[in-house]
Coordinates of all heavy atoms in Angstrom, one line a residue:
V240 N 14.2 152.5 -25.6 CA 14.3 151.2 -26.4 C 13.0 150.5 -26.2 O 12.5 150.0 -27.2 CB 15.4 150.4 -25.9 CG1 15.4 149.0 -26.5 CG2 16.8 151.1 -26.2
A241 N 12.4 150.5 -25.0 CA 11.1 149.8 -24.8 C 10.0 150.4 -25.7 O 9.2 149.7 -26.3 CB 10.7 149.8 -23.3
T242 N 10.0 151.8 -25.8 CA 9.0 152.4 -26.5 C 9.1 152.1 -28.1 O 8.1 151.9 -28.7 CB 9.1 153.9 -26.3 OG1 10.2 154.5 -26.9 CG2 8.9 154.4 -24.9
A243 N 10.3 152.0 -28.5 CA 10.5 151.6 -29.9 C 10.0 150.2 -30.2 O 9.4 149.9 -31.3 CB 12.0 151.8 -30.3
A244 N 10.4 149.3 -29.3 CA 10.0 147.9 -29.4 C 8.5 147.8 -29.3 O 7.9 147.0 -30.2 CB 10.7 147.0 -28.2
W245 N 7.8 148.5 -28.5 CA 6.4 148.4 -28.4 C 5.7 149.1 -29.6 O 4.6 148.8 -30.0 CB 5.9 148.9 -27.1 CG 5.9 147.8 -26.0 CD1 5.6 146.6 -26.2 CD2 6.3 148.1 -24.7 NE1 5.8 145.9 -24.9 CE2 6.1 146.8 -24.0 CE3 6.6 149.2 -23.9 CZ2 6.4 146.6 -22.7 CZ3 6.8 149.0 -22.6 CH2 6.7 147.7 -21.9
G246 N 6.4 150.1 -30.1 CA 5.9 150.7 -31.4 C 5.8 149.7 -32.5 O 4.8 149.6 -33.3
M247 N 6.9 149.0 -32.6 CA 6.9 147.9 -33.7 C 5.9 146.8 -33.4 O 5.2 146.3 -34.3 CB 8.3 147.2 -33.8 CG 8.5 146.2 -34.8 SD 8.2 146.7 -36.4 CE 9.7 147.5 -36.9
D248 N 5.8 146.4 -32.2 CA 4.8 145.5 -31.6 C 3.3 146.0 -32.0 O 2.6 145.2 -32.6 CB 4.8 145.3 -30.1 CG 3.8 144.4 -29.5 OD1 3.1 143.6 -30.3 OD2 3.4 144.6 -28.3
N249 N 3.1 147.2 -31.8 CA 1.7 147.8 -32.0 C 1.4 147.7 -33.5 O 0.3 147.4 -34.0 CB 1.6 149.2 -31.6 CG 1.7 149.4 -30.1 OD1 1.5 148.4 -29.3 ND2 2.1 150.6 -29.7
T250 N 2.4 148.0 -34.4 CA 2.2 148.1 -35.8 C 2.1 146.7 -36.4 O 1.2 146.5 -37.2 CB 3.4 148.8 -36.5 OG1 3.7 150.0 -35.8 CG2 3.1 149.1 -37.9
L251 N 2.9 145.8 -35.9 CA 2.7 144.4 -36.4 C 1.4 143.8 -35.9 O 0.8 142.9 -36.6 CB 3.9 143.5 -35.9 CG 5.3 143.9 -36.6 CD1 6.4 143.1 -35.9 CD2 5.3 143.6 -38.0
S252 N 1.0 144.1 -34.7 CA -0.3 143.6 -34.2 C -1.5 144.1 -35.0 O -2.6 143.4 -34.8 CB -0.4 144.0 -32.8 OG 0.6 143.4 -31.9
R253 N -1.4 145.1 -35.8 CA -2.5 145.6 -36.5 C -3.2 144.5 -37.4 O -4.5 144.4 -37.4 CB -2.1 146.8 -37.4 CG -3.2 147.3 -38.3 CD -4.3 147.9 -37.5 NE -5.5 148.2 -38.3 CZ -6.5 147.4 -38.6 NH1 -6.5 146.2 -38.2 NH2 -7.5 147.8 -39.3
A254 N -2.4 143.6 -38.0 CA -3.0 142.6 -38.8 C -3.6 141.5 -38.0 O -4.3 140.7 -38.6 CB -1.9 142.0 -39.7
L255 N -3.3 141.5 -36.7 CA -3.9 140.4 -35.8 C -5.2 141.0 -35.1 O -5.8 140.3 -34.4 CB -2.9 140.1 -34.8 CG -1.7 139.5 -35.3 CD1 -0.6 139.2 -34.1 CD2 -1.8 138.1 -36.0
A256 N -5.6 142.3 -35.4 CA -6.6 142.9 -34.6 C -8.0 142.3 -35.0 O -9.0 142.4 -34.2 CB -6.6 144.4 -34.9
E257 N -8.0 141.6 -36.2 CA -9.4 141.0 -36.6 C -9.5 139.6 -36.0 O -10.5 138.9 -36.1 CB -9.3 140.9 -38.1 CG -9.1 142.2 -38.9 CD -10.1 143.2 -38.4 OE1 -11.3 143.0 -38.1 OE2 -9.7 144.5 -38.3
R258 N -8.4 139.1 -35.4 CA -8.5 137.8 -34.7 C -9.0 137.9 -33.3 O -9.2 139.0 -32.8 CB -7.1 137.2 -34.7 CG -6.4 137.0 -36.0 CD -7.0 136.1 -37.0 NE -6.2 135.9 -38.2 CZ -6.5 136.4 -39.3 NH1 -7.6 136.9 -39.6 NH2 -5.7 136.1 -40.4
D259 N -9.4 136.8 -32.6 CA -9.9 136.8 -31.2 C -8.8 137.4 -30.3 O -7.7 136.9 -30.2 CB -10.2 135.3 -30.8 CG -10.6 135.3 -29.4 OD1 -10.8 136.3 -28.8 OD2 -10.7 134.1 -28.9
P260 N -9.1 138.6 -29.8 CA -8.1 139.3 -28.9 C -7.6 138.4 -27.7 O -6.5 138.4 -27.4 CB -8.8 140.5 -28.4 CG -9.9 140.7 -29.4 CD -10.3 139.4 -29.8
G261 N -8.5 137.6 -27.2 CA -8.1 136.7 -26.0 C -7.1 135.7 -26.5 O -6.1 135.4 -25.8
Q262 N -7.3 135.1 -27.7 CA -6.4 134.1 -28.2 C -5.0 134.8 -28.6 O -4.0 134.2 -28.3 CB -7.0 133.4 -29.5 CG -6.2 132.2 -29.9 CD -6.8 131.6 -31.2 OE1 -7.4 132.4 -31.9 NE2 -6.4 130.4 -31.4
V263 N -5.0 136.0 -29.1 CA -3.8 136.6 -29.4 C -3.0 137.0 -28.1 O -1.8 136.7 -28.0 CB -4.1 138.0 -30.2 CG1 -2.8 138.8 -30.4 CG2 -4.7 137.7 -31.5
V264 N -3.7 137.4 -27.1 CA -3.1 137.7 -25.9 C -2.5 136.5 -25.2 O -1.3 136.5 -24.7 CB -4.1 138.4 -24.9 CG1 -3.5 138.5 -23.4 CG2 -4.5 139.8 -25.4
L265 N -3.3 135.4 -25.2 CA -2.8 134.1 -24.7 C -1.5 133.6 -25.4 O -0.5 133.3 -24.7 CB -3.9 133.1 -24.8 CG -3.5 131.6 -24.4 CD1 -3.1 131.6 -22.9 CD2 -4.7 130.6 -24.7
V266 N -1.6 133.6 -26.7 CA -0.4 133.0 -27.3 C 0.8 133.9 -27.2 O 2.0 133.5 -26.9 CB -0.7 132.8 -28.9 CG1 0.5 132.4 -29.6 CG2 -1.8 131.8 -29.0
K267 N 0.7 135.3 -27.4 CA 1.8 136.2 -27.2 C 2.3 136.1 -25.9 O 3.5 136.1 -25.7 CB 1.3 137.6 -27.6 CG 2.3 138.6 -27.3 CD 1.7 140.1 -27.5 CE 2.8 141.1 -27.1 NZ 2.2 142.5 -27.3
A268 N 1.5 136.2 -24.9 CA 1.9 136.3 -23.4 C 2.6 135.0 -23.1 O 3.7 135.1 -22.4 CB 0.8 136.6 -22.5
A269 N 2.0 133.9 -23.4 CA 2.6 132.6 -23.0 C 4.0 132.4 -23.7 O 4.9 131.9 -23.0 CB 1.6 131.4 -23.4
L270 N 4.1 132.7 -24.9 CA 5.4 132.6 -25.6 C 6.5 133.5 -24.9 O 7.6 133.2 -24.6 CB 5.3 132.8 -27.1 CG 4.6 131.7 -27.9 CD1 4.4 132.2 -29.3 CD2 5.4 130.5 -27.8
G271 N 6.0 134.7 -24.7 CA 6.9 135.8 -24.1 C 7.3 135.4 -22.7 O 8.5 135.5 -22.3
A272 N 6.4 134.8 -21.9 CA 6.7 134.4 -20.5 C 7.7 133.2 -20.6 O 8.6 133.2 -19.7 CB 5.5 134.1 -19.8
T273 N 7.5 132.3 -21.5 CA 8.4 131.1 -21.6 C 9.8 131.6 -22.0 O 10.8 131.1 -21.3 CB 7.9 130.2 -22.6 OG1 6.5 129.7 -22.3 CG2 8.7 129.0 -22.7
V274 N 9.9 132.4 -23.0 CA 11.3 132.8 -23.4 C 12.0 133.6 -22.3 O 13.2 133.3 -22.0 CB 11.2 133.8 -24.6 CG1 12.5 134.3 -25.0 CG2 10.6 132.9 -25.8
T275 N 11.3 134.6 -21.6 CA 12.0 135.4 -20.6 C 12.3 134.6 -19.3 O 13.3 134.8 -18.7 CB 11.2 136.6 -20.3 OG1 9.8 136.2 -20.0 CG2 11.2 137.7 -21.3
A276 N 11.4 133.6 -19.0 CA 11.7 132.7 -17.9 C 12.9 131.9 -18.1 O 13.8 131.6 -17.2 CB 10.4 131.8 -17.6
L277 N 13.0 131.3 -19.3 CA 14.3 130.5 -19.6 C 15.5 131.3 -19.6 O 16.5 130.9 -19.1 CB 14.0 129.9 -21.0 CG 12.9 128.7 -21.1 CD1 12.8 128.2 -22.5 CD2 13.3 127.6 -20.2
L278 N 15.4 132.6 -20.1 CA 16.5 133.4 -20.1 C 16.9 133.8 -18.7 O 18.1 133.9 -18.3 CB 16.3 134.7 -20.9 CG 16.3 134.5 -22.4 CD1 15.8 135.8 -23.1 CD2 17.7 134.1 -23.0
A279 N 15.8 134.0 -17.8 CA 16.2 134.4 -16.5 C 16.9 133.2 -15.7 O 17.7 133.5 -14.9 CB 14.8 134.7 -15.7
L280 N 16.5 132.0 -16.0 CA 17.1 130.8 -15.4 C 18.6 130.7 -15.9 O 19.5 130.4 -15.1 CB 16.4 129.6 -15.8 CG 15.1 129.3 -15.1 CD1 14.4 128.1 -15.6 CD2 15.2 129.2 -13.5
A281 N 18.7 131.0 -17.2 CA 20.1 130.8 -17.8 C 21.0 131.9 -17.2 O 22.2 131.7 -17.1 CB 19.9 131.0 -19.3
F282 N 20.5 133.1 -16.9 CA 21.3 134.2 -16.3 C 21.3 134.2 -14.8 O 21.9 135.0 -14.2 CB 20.9 135.5 -16.9 CG 21.4 135.7 -18.2 CD1 20.5 135.5 -19.3 CD2 22.6 136.3 -18.5 CE1 20.9 135.8 -20.6 CE2 23.0 136.5 -19.9 CZ 22.1 136.3 -20.9
A283 N 20.7 133.1 -14.2 CA 20.7 132.9 -12.8 C 20.2 134.1 -12.0 O 20.7 134.5 -11.0 CB 22.1 132.5 -12.2
E284 N 19.1 134.7 -12.5 CA 18.6 135.9 -11.8 C 17.9 135.4 -10.5 O 17.4 134.3 -10.5 CB 17.4 136.6 -12.6 CG 18.1 137.4 -13.8 CD 17.0 138.2 -14.5 OE1 15.8 138.0 -14.2 OE2 17.5 139.1 -15.3
P285 N 17.9 136.2 -9.4 CA 17.3 135.7 -8.2 C 15.8 135.5 -8.2 O 15.1 136.1 -8.9 CB 17.6 136.9 -7.2 CG 17.8 138.1 -8.1 CD 18.4 137.6 -9.4
A286 N 15.4 134.5 -7.5 CA 14.0 134.1 -7.5 C 13.2 135.2 -6.7 O 13.7 135.7 -5.7 CB 13.8 132.7 -6.8

């Protein structure tokens, strides 16, 4: 499932390849970290 998700990620990212890679990494990673951290708190995962 992870490989399929990253395959879609890779393909969608193609149109972002002309943008600043550092900015793309920052925005993508910051949003991803925020969403998964909030879900971790909601499901009470151990610290």
Side-chain angles (χ1 to χ4, degrees):
V240 170
T242 68
W245 276 323
M247 179 62 77
D248 172 24
N249 296 338
T250 309
L251 292 173
S252 295
R253 174 65 189 90
L255 301 175
E257 306 306 324
R258 310 289 190 246
D259 177 8
Q262 190 181 22
V263 174
V264 171
L265 173 60
V266 174
K267 172 185 175 179
L270 289 174
T273 300
V274 171
T275 48
L277 291 174
L278 289 173
L280 289 173
F282 284 95
E284 289 189 348

